[in-house]
Amino acid sequence: MSRSANRVFGDIVYAQCWEDPELDRRAFRIEPGDTVFSITSGGCNVLAFLIDDPKTVCALDLNPHQNFLLDAKIGAFTALSYGEMLEFLGVRPSNRRQELYAAVRLHLQEESRRYWDTHPENVEAGIIHTGRYEEYMRLLRNTLRRIKGEKLIRGLFEATGAEERAELYAARWDTPLWRLFTRVFLSRATMSFLFTKDFFQYVDGTFSFGRHFADRVRTMLTAEHLQDNYFASYILLGRYFDETRLPLYLQRDHFGTIRSRLDRVWMVNDSCDNFLSRCADSSIQKFNFTNIFEWMSPEAYERLLRRAWRVGSDGAVLTYRNLLVFRERPASLKDLIRPNRELARTLHASDRSFIYRNYVVEIVQKEKPS
């Protein structure tokens, strides 16, 4: 395995999902009987989709470790009480995660059991903290504490509204040191080193990573309800703000529902292209592609959309994100896939995962309009 490939497939990259599931749920409007296809990533949003009563959720990832992670989360829902699950995953502090894991491991698939058995340090840390991306967030957070101070960070969360946050940001955050930090720490070179340059091979060479992420941070920090944004609180505080502001799949009200539907999750370790090529025509109603398209050439992107069109039923909904590379249905597919840009813009405006430049909602058209 190459050094670059090992960074993507050698371990868990995302221990949590960094896409807001509420956007996809509102775009999908999942109905009983629907089959939902989703990139696994951190597994959080796969579990959140169970709330809406689909027939099946297919969780696919090319990196097997992402499905090992989802399997452990499913095992925690199965074997533990609600409070024990939060403790095991890493939401609550704990000094008995190995004890809790002993109950969880009885419900794991063989490969994922082998992985977790040989990574006790990840179990002890709380598995939602153990991805490469979460390590990057920890490095980012510790550096921000040094250059900005914990008092300012706490003050942003304690501020009474967007206007007060905007004043704090302008007066104390948006400094020359912060702008230098974004040019260095949030640069293409830094992120290529920490992850892999393959993630960014289709990004325009003139695109400024630093300016983009600095703008997205400003949007996050000056929002009206910063405390309610669990993405922001995890990045800046290293934890969720409190247990009333957890990711959807971890909220107490949904624990029993998700637990009762875990058998509807179907985990697949494969590429989208290979998997969809084997699926029956018109067999999937919802597709959550996260932001995988920007890692592909335009030709591969179009080919995968054509496969989704064949596999999707008439009216099937596709959602995906653009982080750094713009991707929307090419004109060559205008008779097969219809964009719903108005809905996408409305949903994107409410996105708590502030990092994405664009949110895409598209509809499969099997029957030509009369």
Side-chain angles (χ1 to χ4, degrees), residues 244-284:
T244 69
R245 297 173 172 92
L246 297 177
L248 189 66
Y249 82 108
L250 292 178
Q251 293 174 13
R252 183 184 292 274
D253 288 350
H254 301 307
F255 177 71
T257 299
I258 292 173
R259 188 181 207 174
S260 70
R261 296 171 179 170
L262 294 170
D263 60 347
R264 304 184 193 186
V265 177
W266 170 29
M267 287 181 282
V268 177
N269 179 214
D270 204 348
S271 70
C272 290
D273 209 39
N274 286 342
F275 174 74
L276 293 179
S277 71
R278 300 194 303 271
C279 290
D281 291 358
S282 302
S283 58
I284 296 177

Side-chain angles (χ1 to χ4, degrees), residues 272-326:
C272 290
D273 209 39
N274 286 342
F275 174 74
L276 293 179
S277 71
R278 300 194 303 271
C279 290
D281 291 358
S282 302
S283 58
I284 296 177
Q285 288 70 50
K286 308 294 187 293
F287 297 83
N288 169 35
F289 284 112
T290 63
N291 70 319
I292 65 167
F293 291 141
E294 62 187 287
W295 304 345
M296 302 178 183
S297 68
E299 296 76 21
Y301 164 54
E302 179 173 338
R303 182 173 65 247
L304 191 51
L305 282 185
R306 288 185 181 276
R307 291 206 191 281
W309 177 84
R310 180 187 65 78
V311 171
S313 58
D314 186 44
V317 181
L318 288 68
T319 64
Y320 50 99
R321 276 92 170 156
N322 299 163
L323 177 61
L324 303 173
V325 179
F326 186 81

Side-chain angles (χ1 to χ4, degrees), residues 63-77:
N63 179 355
H65 300 86
Q66 298 302 145
N67 278 336
F68 299 162
L69 174 71
L70 174 57
D71 197 31
K73 291 182 178 182
I74 288 173
F77 268 87

Side-chain angles (χ1 to χ4, degrees), residues 141-158 168 172-173 236-239:
R141 178 168 58 254
N142 290 338
T143 307
L144 283 174
R145 284 174 176 168
R146 290 188 179 94
I147 68 173
K148 290 298 173 188
E150 292 192 31
K151 184 177 180 181
L152 174 56
I153 294 171
R154 287 198 309 271
L156 286 162
F157 279 91
E158 293 166 0
L168 273 173
R172 299 180 54 194
W173 191 283
L236 293 173
L237 303 175
R239 57 177 173 80

Side-chain angles (χ1 to χ4, degrees), residues 10-142:
D11 211 330
I12 295 167
V13 179
Y14 305 103
Q16 304 176 51
C17 283
W18 292 89
E19 298 84 27
D20 188 342
E22 292 292 8
L23 275 63
D24 303 302
R25 292 178 70 222
R26 289 166 63 189
F28 286 160
R29 301 178 66 181
I30 293 170
E31 298 179 356
D34 280 352
T35 294
V36 179
F37 169 90
S38 181
I39 303 301
T40 304
S41 184
C44 319
N45 294 354
V46 167
L47 296 174
F49 293 145
L50 294 176
I51 296 166
D52 298 317
D53 201 21
K55 177 184 177 182
T56 304
V57 181
C58 173
L60 177 143
D61 212 290
L62 195 55
N63 179 355
H65 300 86
Q66 298 302 145
N67 278 336
F68 299 162
L69 174 71
L70 174 57
D71 197 31
K73 291 182 178 182
I74 288 173
F77 268 87
T78 303
L80 306 176
S81 69
Y82 176 72
E84 289 171 336
M85 179 195 69
L86 295 185
E87 194 177 336
F88 171 73
L89 294 183
V91 177
R92 293 179 180 176
S94 177
N95 58 8
R96 56 169 187 152
R97 291 198 179 106
Q98 288 294 346
E99 176 186 333
L100 296 172
Y101 172 65
V104 170
R105 76 181 298 277
L106 299 176
H107 301 274
L108 300 183
Q109 297 178 9
E110 183 177 353
E111 281 189 282
S112 57
R113 186 185 306 121
R114 280 202 302 268
Y115 172 81
W116 293 109
D117 283 353
T118 55
H119 290 77
E121 72 284 359
N122 287 351
V123 172
E124 290 169 7
I127 65 174
I128 65 169
H129 306 300
T130 57
R132 190 172 185 86
Y133 193 79
E134 287 71 28
E135 289 177 7
Y136 176 58
M137 290 296 104
R138 187 157 49 250
L139 178 61
L140 174 65
R141 178 168 58 254
N142 290 338

